[in-house]
Amino acid sequence: MNTYRIALLAGDGIGEEIMAEAVKILGIVSSRHAEIGFELIPAAFGASAWFSTGSCWPAETEELCDAADAILKGTIGLGHTESRQIPPDQSPEKGLLMMRRRYDTFANFRPVYLPGFLAHFSPLRPEIIGDGIDIMIIRELVGGLYFGEKEAGVNTQGLRYAREILEYDENQIHRIVLVAFETARKRRRKLHSIHKSNVLKSSMLWTDIVDEVSVDFPDVEVNHMLVDAAATHLCLRPTEFDVMVMENLFGDILSDQGGGILGSLGLMPSACLGPDKSYYEPSHGSAPDIAGKNIANPYSMIGSVAMMLEMSFGMDREAKNLWQAMQQVFAGGYSTPDISKPGSDITMVSTEEFGDRVVAELTKLPA
Ligand code: IPM
Ligand code: MG
C-alpha cells in the first residue's frame, strides 16, 4: 500500500469547514482504492496560528510540511479588527509567502472553469459564455514584486516613500513558460502570454523568452497580449482563452477577475507546484463574514483535492471523477447560499450537505 502523507493547514475563517469536506472526500477516495492510503496531519497556520502560537507559519508546521508528500491549505486571514492585532511583518499573508518561497512553488495553476449549464452563476450574459469557459491561468508565484527588494522610509526631501523591485531572470521566466507550453499541449494547444512590454523591461524579457520556447512547441498557437487588454478580453470573449501565463502580480489580479467571471472565487481551486513539493489551496480568502455558518461552498477546496490527486499522486482518473461528481451536484440543482441567489430554482444546501452529495455522486462512478 502506498501511503501519502498530507499536511492539512485549515487556516482561518471558513478554512475549517471546507477542510472538513476535503477530509471527508479523502476518506472516500482511499476507501475506493485499497492500494492508496492517506495520512492526514493537521497543522496550525494563518492568523489563528498567530493567536495560539505567536506565528502564522510556526516552526512545527514547517517541519510537518517538510516531511509531507503534499500540503493541502484552507484559507487565511481574519476580519479587519483582529488582523490589526498582528504586526504587519508577521501577517498571515507573510506566512503564506514564506511557504511559497520555502518550497519554491513557482507554478500556480488556477482553473477558470464554467460549463455552459452553470452559466447562471456568472454575471456574464449566456451568449458570451456559450458552451462554457475553460481557461487555465498559470501564474508565476515566487518572483516579481512580491519577492523583490523592498524599502520604505523618508527621502531626502522629507517625504515618506516606498520602493519595491520587479525583477525576473531568464531562468525564472523560462521554467514557468515551459510549464505553460506543456500544459497547452495537453489541452487545446493555445497559449496567451500576458505582459506589459509596451512599458516594462521585465515584460520585454518575458516576451522574448516566450518566443524562444515556442520554437520547441510548433503545435501550440502563441498569442502575446497586453495585460490591460487581457482584462477586457476576459470579460468580452472568455471562451477564446485556453492557457494564459503571466508573472506574479498580473496573475494575482487576473485570476481574481477569472473568479469574477465565474460568479465567485468560491469556484476557483488552485495548485502551487514546486520542484519537490506542492501545495493546493482555494484561490479565495477566509470569508470571515460567513465563517462558522455552514454555508460556504467547498467546491474550491474539493477541487484543490482533485488537483492534488492528479498532480501530486498521479490519480488522474479519480481526479476526473471528483470534478464530475461536483458538476453532477450542481447539475442536480443543488448549491450553497454563499454562491447562489435565493429565489432561483436552486435547492440551497449546507457546506456539509454539499460535501455529502459530492461523496454520493463520486460513489456512483467507477474508481
Ligand atoms: C492569492 C492571494 C495572495 C496573493 C495573498 C493572500 C498574499 O491573493 O493567492 O491570490 O496575493 O498571492
Ligand atoms: Mg489573490
Side-chain angles (χ1 to χ4, degrees), residues 93 96 100 110 139 146 252 281:
E93 289 78 8
L96 178 58
R100 288 178 183 170
R110 295 192 163 177
R139 167 187 179 195
Y146 275 63
D252 181 44
E281 62 173 357

Side-chain angles (χ1 to χ4, degrees), residues 42 79 85 106 158 196 228 235-236 258-259 278 299 330 332 348:
Q85 297 174 37
F106 69 98
K196 186 72 188 171
D228 45 355
C235 297
L236 300 181
S278 301
Y299 180 97
F330 283 132
M348 296 296 175

Side-chain angles (χ1 to χ4, degrees), residues 96-97 100-101 104-110 138-144 146-147 168 175-176 246-249 251-252 270-273 279 281:
L96 178 58
L97 296 190
R100 288 178 183 170
R101 193 204 294 264
D104 195 21
T105 53
F106 69 98
N108 180 206
F109 287 71
R110 295 192 163 177
I138 298 185
R139 167 187 179 195
E140 200 291 327
L141 200 59
V142 294
Y146 275 63
F147 291 92
Y168 273 102
R175 64 178 181 169
I176 187 74
M246 63 205 82
E247 66 88 43
N248 204 345
L249 183 62
D252 181 44
S270 84
C272 308
L273 309 189
Y279 81 92
E281 62 173 357

Side-chain angles (χ1 to χ4, degrees), residues 32 318 320-322 324-325 360-367:
R32 282 158 58 82
E318 193 68 332
K320 278 208 186 82
N321 286 340
L322 203 42
Q324 194 182 326
E361 293 296 339
L362 183 64
T363 329
K364 292 183 199 159
L365 300 168

